[in-house]
Amino acid sequence: MFSESSSLCTLVAGLHDSLGERDCSFTAFFLFCFGSEFIDRALKCRKMGKKSRVKTQKSGTGAAAVVSPKEIMNLISELLQKCSNVAPSSGKEWEEYSQIRGLVEKIRKKQKGMSVVFDGSREDYFPDLMAWAGECGASLEGFAIAEFADEGYGLKATRDIKAEELFLWIPRKMLMTVESAKNSVLGPLYGQDRILQAMGNVTLALHLLCERADPTSPWQPYIRTLPSEYDTPLYFEEDEVCHLLATQAIQDVLSQFKNTARQYAYFYKVIQTHPNASKLPLKDAFTFDDYRWAVSSVMTRQNQIPTEDGSRVTLALIPLWDMCNHTNGLITTGYNLEDDRCECVALQDYKENEQIYIFYGTRSNAEFVIHNGFFFEDNAHDRVKIKLGVSKSERLYAMKAEVLARAGIPSSSVFALHCSEPPISAQLLAFLRVFCMTEEELKDYLVGDHAINKIFTLGNAEFPVSWENEIKLWTFLETRASLLLKTYKTTSEEDRSILEKADLSLHSRVATKLRLAEKEILERAAASGRAKRLHFQKQLEDAAPLPLYEESDIALLENADAKLPIILRKLEEEDEGLPEAELRPDAPLVNGDEAGTKIRPGALPNGARRTEEQPKEKGD
């Protein structure tokens, strides 16, 4: 129960973080409009509901029958209180996670045998899915659902398909959306619960659970083909999560679990006490495992699509299309408003019997592990995030901030070290150049000859500020990458040895692969920094002439094939959800975060602090 407004604030913030919304105005909106009494009133309203239509498991021990509602409610209240406490101090996050997990396991034990199950396996229902899709007007020619050894289920070409050929379309009537939730049995509660109204992810999760519990739901052919469980960190054992310690994923993983537990506890109380929840088929059976499953289903599949009138976007689950697995490439899925359907063209040429892939977007492996539950070996977009900022206490702060502002770069932001060469983007190169400038160099870029035009050169490797500046920035990068490597408790060699163990669990293997991949990126970045430093030291020793910017070079800067030209108006690695952190040139870097946006299986993540995207699980 919420006795203080701070508890509500924590709850809403947690829901906000975990459901992938980047706009923090939602939190302020709740508090401004409704205050803490909103939830108090919601939880105090009690009304008996109809008996659930949920088909539950048979408990061999009969545990579900002997657990009193009061006993469960007491545990739920304890969980809600624990998850609504103020965030723990640095270094105490794991302790809090273990405590929350302990409470969750107590609840799961009490709820054993109460979750929904379907007879048979998911593949038994694939023919029903295809038949339903055909009745709804979806495409059925040219592909079939098939199982692939390393990736689970996916789509297989049943004939040759040409690149860019339209081979798959799914009409709106098949989609589960926030709009369909409003018109379902969930509608009355949606109309009263402001959190549901703002958090489409939660709405979809509860919508999915309600439809799963209704044997007459039109989405049963789809729901029955969903995995019964997932490989997201929500399903990791505690010792498997330990493999993620020190990785960039760990904070998001801990937050994801905490926020999911908080959401479950909150909505358990709402479902049991709110008058408008009386008709939901969840009152008699709403387990943590049910909610974890629904959250993971949404997290790995949801996408943004336009509403029918095209005036705004909404969240949707897209049956059949979400069977496609991921590979490198380009986004090839869009929404045809005229025909009111989701359409997908072939990413490349496919021969008969080959697997058909789509591109989920430029996600790092940390994001794939957190939100999709798989590690992609050949990830061309893998990266390690870092957050950099010019210290406001630095004497040259105002000058550096002004040069950065003219280039369209904030004085504090999230960047990335990439798996490719060069390891840094033009944006990060520009930031580091300004970060390492002397007072005289700053003056030159502010009031010197061609100062305005020279801003264009900051992200271009062809035009160093000075040899000294290049030496300084690459030394900085080498040092920071080396320091980040020291934060891991194992070495790359030790990780490779761990991966050779035959008895390593799937989740532990995925976590170890992620840990190793991050180290390899940092090792390459350190090596690149060292090589660049030595190169520019030689340039300085040889008194090599410094390439100078001239008006004629503007063509080079504007050339799309040039080396990342720029006026930097929007950081591709910017993350507005992270608090500002200041760094001095000699301070260690800290891990950061990023999110992508395009239509793919899951454009918004659930349970992640930074907040914003979510796609489908590999092998679905």
Side-chain angles (χ1 to χ4, degrees):
M1 194 68 71
F2 294 88
S3 59
E4 299 178 356
S5 61
S6 61
S7 296
L8 173 60
C9 183
T10 305
L11 169 69
V12 175
L15 287 172
H16 167 284
D17 287 344
S18 67
L19 295 174
E21 299 292 348
R22 299 186 70 176
D23 188 353
C24 292
S25 64
F26 282 129
T27 301
F29 173 78
F30 290 144
L31 295 177
F32 178 78
C33 293
F34 307 102
S36 60
E37 61 269 30
F38 157 63
I39 292 183
D40 285 334
R41 289 199 306 271
L43 297 182
K44 288 177 182 176
C45 295
R46 294 179 178 273
K47 182 176 181 181
M48 296 301 294
K50 292 183 179 179
K51 191 170 183 179
S52 170
R53 290 172 289 178
V54 174
K55 176 183 178 182
T56 60
Q57 298 174 2
K58 300 290 185 180
S59 174
T61 62
V66 299
V67 178
S68 70
K70 182 177 180 181
E71 187 178 359
I72 289 288
M73 186 62 79
N74 287 340
L75 284 171
I76 292 292
S77 296
E78 187 179 354
L79 178 63
L80 183 57
Q81 181 60 50
K82 183 63 181 176
C83 293
S84 300
N85 288 338
V86 178
S89 57
S90 179
K92 297 289 186 180
E93 296 89 350
W94 182 262
E95 180 181 343
E96 180 191 58
Y97 167 75
S98 295
Q99 292 171 353
I100 292 173
R101 188 175 185 112
L103 282 171
V104 167
E105 290 306 315
K106 286 183 180 179
I107 293 170
R108 292 184 65 226
K109 185 176 181 180
K110 300 291 185 184
Q111 294 174 334
K112 185 178 180 181
M114 296 175 63
S115 294
V116 171
V117 293
F118 294 124
D119 294 329
S121 59
R122 59 185 299 215
E123 54 264 35
D124 294 336
Y125 298 101
F126 288 156
D128 293 341
L129 173 64
M130 297 296 283
W132 173 63
E135 293 169 4
C136 292
S139 57
L140 297 177
E141 299 297 324
F143 64 88
I145 301 173
E147 187 171 10
F148 298 89
D150 298 326
E151 297 165 285
Y153 292 103
L155 293 189
K156 178 183 71 174
T158 56
R159 60 173 174 80
D160 290 354
I161 299 176
K162 295 294 184 181
E164 300 185 9
E165 177 184 341
L166 175 61
F167 74 97
L168 177 61
W169 58 86
I170 307 295
R172 184 181 295 272
K173 64 166 63 175
M174 288 179 63
L175 311 185
M176 293 188 73
T177 67
V178 173
E179 277 57 43
S180 64
K182 295 178 190 177
N183 298 319
S184 73
V185 68
L186 190 62
L189 180 61
Y190 181 92
Q192 293 293 314
D193 193 294
R194 300 298 181 178
I195 294 175
L196 284 179
Q197 291 172 12
M199 303 298 172
N201 312 59
V202 161
T203 299
L204 275 183
L206 293 180
H207 184 27
L208 180 61
L209 283 175
C210 289
E211 298 303 319
R212 183 178 73 161
D214 179 6
T216 66
S217 169
W219 287 287
Q220 280 290 329
Y222 169 57
I223 295 171
R224 289 170 183 264
T225 62
L226 292 174
S228 59
E229 60 182 35
Y230 293 85
D231 291 318
T232 60
L234 285 176
Y235 284 83
F236 281 25
E237 297 297 331
E238 189 166 337
D239 63 323
E240 294 172 332
V241 178
C242 285
H243 288 288
L244 292 171
L245 289 173
T247 69
Q248 291 211 334
I250 188 61
Q251 289 301 325
D252 282 348
V253 168
L254 300 186
S255 294
Q256 184 184 66
F257 191 89
K258 177 180 179 179
N259 294 329
T260 300
R262 182 196 289 114
Q263 294 158 28
Y264 170 69
Y266 167 72
F267 284 106
Y268 183 94
K269 287 198 167 190
V270 168
I271 288 170
Q272 294 299 320
T273 60
H274 198 293
N276 285 349
S278 63
K279 295 183 179 180
L280 294 184
L282 304 178
K283 284 186 67 68
D284 295 339
F286 178 51
T287 69
F288 178 84
D289 284 354
D290 288 337
Y291 189 67
R292 176 176 63 172
W293 173 83
V295 164
S296 295
S297 296
V298 170
M299 178 169 60
T300 58
R301 282 168 165 75
Q302 70 171 0
N303 276 275
Q304 289 183 328
I305 66 165
T307 53
E308 288 192 69
D309 61 4
S311 63
R312 56 189 177 83
V313 295
T314 188
L315 295 179
L317 299 179
I318 308 175
L320 193 58
W321 172 78
D322 63 10
M323 296 293 298
C324 293
N325 286 317
H326 166 80
T327 193
N328 291 317
L330 300 171
I331 298 292
T332 56
T333 301
Y335 200 89
N336 184 328
L337 271 174
E338 183 177 350
D339 293 330
D340 203 20
R341 65 188 191 184
C342 178
E343 296 183 343
C344 184
V345 300
L347 182 62
Q348 61 193 48
D349 287 344
Y350 291 107
K351 297 293 185 181
E352 184 178 355
N353 293 324
E354 286 184 339
Q355 183 174 180
I356 301 171
Y357 292 98
I358 61 175
F359 177 58
Y360 290 3
T362 58
R363 291 193 145 196
S364 67
N365 269 319
E367 291 169 320
F368 279 135
V369 169
I370 294 167
H371 308 299
N372 300 72
F374 68 83
F375 179 91
F376 186 52
E377 298 283 356
D378 188 29
N379 190 354
H381 304 282
D382 204 9
R383 55 195 176 270
V384 170
K385 309 302 290 181
I386 56 176
K387 185 165 174 39
L388 295 173
V390 181
S391 174
K392 291 182 178 179
S393 63
E394 183 184 342
R395 182 177 65 86
L396 300 176
Y397 171 79
M399 296 177 72
K400 290 182 178 181
E402 177 60 25
V403 175
L404 288 169
R406 292 185 184 187
I409 308 175
S411 59
S412 177
S413 191
V414 177
F415 300 91
L417 299 178
H418 295 272
C419 62
S420 56
E421 183 63 35
I424 65 176
S425 64
Q427 289 89 346
L428 180 50
L429 175 60
F431 177 88
L432 290 176
R433 280 176 167 171
V434 178
F435 187 68
C436 295
M437 280 184 183
T438 64
E439 184 171 3
E440 289 304 312
E441 289 167 344
L442 288 166
K443 288 180 180 178
D444 187 39
Y445 277 74
L446 288 171
V447 296
D449 293 340
H450 308 298
I452 295 178
N453 290 332
K454 286 172 71 174
I455 293 294
F456 284 80
T457 70
L458 282 172
N460 194 294
E462 298 294 326
F463 300 102
V465 172
S466 66
W467 298 134
E468 293 85 353
N469 181 269
E470 292 292 304
I471 293 169
K472 193 184 298 184
L473 79 87
W474 289 108
T475 300
F476 177 88
L477 184 66
E478 176 188 2
T479 302
R480 296 310 156 227
S482 299
L483 285 175
L484 283 175
L485 279 167
K486 293 179 180 179
T487 65
Y488 296 88
K489 297 184 182 299
T490 57
T491 65
S492 296
E493 291 72 23
E494 289 171 334
D495 285 346
R496 293 186 184 98
S497 295
I498 291 172
L499 290 172
E500 291 176 359
K501 296 180 179 179
D503 61 345
L504 194 64
S505 71
L506 172 63
H507 296 161
S508 295
R509 186 171 299 279
V510 166
T512 304
K513 283 184 177 182
L514 175 62
R515 191 172 66 207
L516 176 59
E518 289 186 1
K519 291 174 190 172
E520 290 175 341
I521 290 174
L522 291 171
E523 287 166 352
R524 283 192 291 268
S528 179
R530 181 164 54 255
K532 294 281 189 181
R533 169 175 57 80
L534 294 173
H535 168 73
F536 289 113
Q537 282 178 344
K538 188 171 190 313
Q539 294 292 91
L540 179 63
E541 293 167 1
D542 293 345
L546 193 71
L548 299 177
Y549 167 78
E550 297 180 3
E551 292 293 335
S552 60
D553 290 320
I554 194 67
L556 169 64
L557 297 173
E558 292 178 341
N559 186 343
D561 295 326
K563 295 185 179 179
L564 295 171
I566 338 229
I567 188 151
L568 305 171
R569 289 304 173 197
K570 179 170 170 54
L571 275 176
E572 59 187 17
E573 289 119 351
E574 182 178 352
D575 189 323
E576 300 169 358
L578 290 177
E580 180 174 330
E582 297 175 351
L583 293 176
R584 299 178 182 277
D586 59 345
L589 308 187
V590 293
N591 288 343
D593 220 343
E594 178 193 344
T597 53
K598 297 199 175 179
I599 272 202
R600 58 185 181 280
L604 300 171
N606 182 358
R609 167 185 53 80
R610 104 194 148 259
T611 77
E612 111 147 89
E613 60 239 57
Q614 255 151 257
K616 86 175 270 327
E617 173 182 312
K618 191 90 165 179
D620 285 357

